Amino acid sequence: MTEGIFPLLGAAFVVLIVLPAFALLAKAGLVLLERDEAGGILHHLNLRYLLLTGSSVLPLAWFFSAGLHQAEGDKSAYACLFDHEATLCFEPGLFALTLGLVVVFLSRSVLRGLRGARPAHGAGVHVLARIEDVLAKHPRLRALRGRVVVTDEPGFALGTYGWIQPRVFIGVAFAARLSDDMLASALGHETEHVRSLDPLRYLLLQFALAVNPFGRFLLERHAARWYAAREAHCDREAVIRGALPLPLADAIVHAARPTNQQAVALGARDAGVLKFRIGLLLAFAERSPSRCCDRGPSAFSMSLVLLLLALLSPHETGTAALDALHTGAEQALTYLWP
Amino acid sequence: MDVVWSKHLTAFAVGEVLIVLEKQREIAYTTVMTTLSRLYDKGLLTRERDGKRYLYSPKLTREQFLESTAREVLDGAVGGHRAMAMLAEKLSDASADDLDELEALIRRRREELGQ
């Protein structure tokens, strides 16, 4: 009984106490960053992303790594988990396994929602040839060469899918409604998503919110603001790299217009965000924007360094927090069942 | 403010705004004067005396103004469960008027800039 309590109570403690506490701290940081009156809500994108995802991912990584580290006991983690003679390392190993299973269970909604658009047949060939022409004419779009997929999925407009090698999907009907200027500018916007691996970033953010029981309650509104600011940032970057602001604005409005096949209702508040993005693009048409709001690709290197630190620190600096959790869980058991 | 920003007006008098607006619709001098005075009161314009008249200047660019209002706009942003990046979310049919209005605004600006 005593042997089994730490893996169960420990994992429950991490998910129900540690993660919400980190989410609360992240919320405090986000509120402070967003309060900055000089457009603070549009800036600090990388730092805000780090707070949104790091508040769940980093403590989980640390506890998972600490569990495996304690499980080693001069043997590999594999041996600890499956060699029944390795009794010393059985409990922390099982704790790490339980924690992993809880994380998979909590993030199942995110995993279920992953799917790409369907490639086109027939009609898409002409659209693809036109897009290749547009890409050839605009060197700033070279990151998209070989990465654009035409889809005949009804009502699909334009979006970027794929975590490691993102691809841009474009609807046949949507592409037909755009002029070449609009198409090039819209692809310029997607180039920023591709360069910054945004689908992967968005996935990690959804995962971070899903695994934290209070994540959505405490951080979802901040995440929604981050998404909106990120889209506005991609518009800005596209214009800085040569996209035309007004054709881009036009393409965005076209993409936002629902078709007859769609029954989507996001509410009028998102229309406010759309108007805001269009307003900024009108401003960019009057006066070229300057770079701001953090460069996208640097977020990954920063996140990776922090993740590595969280994974390696139990091996370097000890696992005192896990030890306290371990003894605490077993003491709790003696109080409950003396 | 739209006229001031789109026509790049700096140190302008009431009459200069009136000339622009008269091309769009019938409007009285006093209406423009009152509006500019209110924009000054709200801190969107600065002004200095030039003989008997005031010369107005915008305090912020359109971009700076939008950034200063970003907080209240993005406060209303709605979350979503997604792991992809769309050019724009599809809006409900109820906002078709909004989209028409935005399209008209962009078209007008494209005509003004000859794009």
Side-chain angles (χ1 to χ4, degrees), chain A residues 12 23 31 62 95 120 124 153 189-190 220 257 292 313:
Chain A
V31 167
W62 190 91
F95 162 78
E153 200 167 292
H189 171 100
E190 297 304 317
E220 183 139 44
R257 201 177 278 282
C292 86
S313 72

Side-chain angles (χ1 to χ4, degrees), chain A residues 34 39 41 155 157-161 189-190 193 202 206 216 221 224-225 227 231 236 247 250 252 254-258 262 264 266 269-270 272 274-277 279-280 282-284 286-287, chain B residues 5-6 8 61-63 66-71 73-93 95-96 98-100 102-103 105-106 109-110 113 115:
Chain A
E34 290 172 1
I41 206 153
L158 182 60
T160 303
Y161 290 94
H189 171 100
E190 297 304 317
H193 285 308
Y202 289 7
Q206 285 306 318
R216 295 211 183 279
R221 288 181 68 84
R225 282 176 216 147
Y227 277 128
E231 291 300 325
R236 177 191 293 268
D250 229 347
I252 290 171
H254 274 74
R257 201 177 278 282
Q262 288 169 316
V264 185
L266 284 177
R269 283 171 168 186
D270 281 73
L274 183 75
K275 283 180 187 169
F276 178 75
R277 284 175 66 192
L280 273 180
L282 292 179
F284 297 160
E286 285 157 11
R287 192 184 160 121
Chain B
W5 284 323
S6 61
H8 299 281
T61 63
R62 191 196 292 266
E63 187 185 347
L66 282 168
E67 287 201 351
S68 71
T69 62
R71 193 176 154 72
V73 176
L74 300 194
D75 252 357
V78 180
H81 299 221
R82 56 181 178 174
M84 61 169 298
M86 294 295 293
L87 180 64
E89 296 288 1
K90 301 284 179 188
L91 299 176
S92 68
D93 287 338
S95 62
D98 286 338
L99 296 172
D100 290 343
L102 285 172
E103 255 179 13
L105 185 67
I106 297 163
R109 191 56 48 80
R110 289 183 82 162
L113 296 173
Q115 287 184 8

Side-chain angles (χ1 to χ4, degrees), chain A residues 6 26 36 39 43 50 71 93 100-101 105 135 137 154 162 171 191 204 229 238 254 256 258 266 268 292 305 318 333:
Chain A
F6 164 59
D36 177 3
H43 299 165
L50 212 58
L101 289 174
F105 177 76
L135 296 182
K137 278 183 203 156
T191 306
L204 291 176
H254 274 74
L266 284 177
C292 86
V305 168
L333 181 72

